[in-house]
Amino acid sequence: MSLQIVVGAIALVVVAWLAACAEAGLARVSSFRAEEAVKSGRRGGARLAQIAADPTRYLNLALLVRVACEMAAAALVTYACLQEFQATWQALLVAIGVMVLVSYVAVGVSPRTIGRQHPLNTATAAAYVLLPLARVLGPIPSLLILIGNALTPGKGFRRGPFASEAELRALVDLAEKESLI
C-alpha cells in the first residue's frame, strides 16, 4: 500500500471532518447570534456575520467540500486496497468497510457533535475558510443544486434543501428580536 495514498486519504478525511463540523456549527448560528458576536467584539465576528447573512450559500459550500473529500478519500482507499489485495472482491470489501466506518464515525458523528456543542466557535473558524473559498468556487454549488433540482421529481428548492434548520433558527431569532416570542 502506498504511504502517499494513505496519507492523502487521511488528509481528505480531516478536511471532510472540518467541513462537517462547519456544517453543524453554521446550521446552529443565526444572523441574530452573529450580530451579537459582532457587538460583543468577538474575534471573527464580522466574518461570521457575513456567513450568517447568507447561510444557505455557505452551508451548500461546506456540504460540497465534505462530499468531495469523502468521495476522493474513498477512491484513494479503494485504489490502495486494490494494490494490496490479490482478489478484487476482497479489496473492494475492505475499502467499503473502512470508508463506511471512517465516514460514519469520523465525518458523521464526531464533527457534528462538536459543531452542535460549540456552534459559535466552529462557525467562526469556518468563516475564515468559507468566505475566500466561496469567491474561488463561485457559482459551482448553485449550479450543482440546479442540476439536482432538474433530476428531482416535483418542484425543487432554488437554493438547495440543506439550510432549512438555519432558516428556521433565523426566523425564531427574528421573532425573539421583535418580541413576538
Side-chain angles (χ1 to χ4, degrees):
M1 211 178 300
S2 171
L3 182 61
Q4 292 172 324
I5 293 172
V6 172
V7 169
I10 291 169
L12 287 165
V13 168
V14 168
V15 174
W17 185 94
L18 292 169
C21 200
E23 281 180 74
L26 289 171
R28 293 267 188 182
V29 175
S30 65
S31 57
F32 179 74
R33 287 182 81 181
E35 288 172 20
E36 291 297 314
V38 171
K39 287 178 188 173
S40 70
R42 180 183 179 88
R43 185 172 177 220
R47 290 175 187 258
L48 181 60
Q50 281 182 277
I51 296 278
D54 189 6
T56 306
R57 177 181 186 196
Y58 297 100
L59 281 167
N60 290 339
L61 182 58
L63 173 69
L64 175 61
V65 169
R66 181 183 57 81
V67 169
C69 288
E70 277 187 274
M71 294 301 104
L76 288 178
V77 168
T78 301
Y79 181 76
C81 287
L82 286 169
Q83 287 183 327
E84 187 68 23
F85 294 98
Q86 296 294 325
T88 303
W89 65 271
Q90 286 175 326
L92 293 176
L93 285 178
V94 169
I96 290 168
V98 166
M99 285 312 298
V100 165
L101 181 67
V102 167
S103 289
Y104 192 84
V105 174
V107 183
V109 176
S110 171
R112 285 181 175 82
T113 300
I114 290 171
R116 286 176 177 248
Q117 289 174 343
H118 309 284
L120 279 177
N121 291 339
T122 56
T124 302
Y128 282 94
V129 176
L130 292 176
L131 285 169
L133 191 59
R135 283 186 215 107
V136 171
L137 293 180
I140 292 174
S142 298
L143 177 64
L144 293 173
I145 288 168
L146 286 173
I147 293 168
N149 283 339
L151 299 174
T152 303
K155 186 178 183 217
F157 296 101
R158 188 174 69 83
R159 301 200 59 195
F162 314 113
S164 60
E165 184 179 345
E167 291 166 349
L168 177 60
R169 287 190 186 286
L171 289 174
V172 170
D173 281 347
L174 180 62
E176 182 180 6
K177 189 176 182 180
E178 300 291 325
S179 299
L180 297 173
I181 58 171

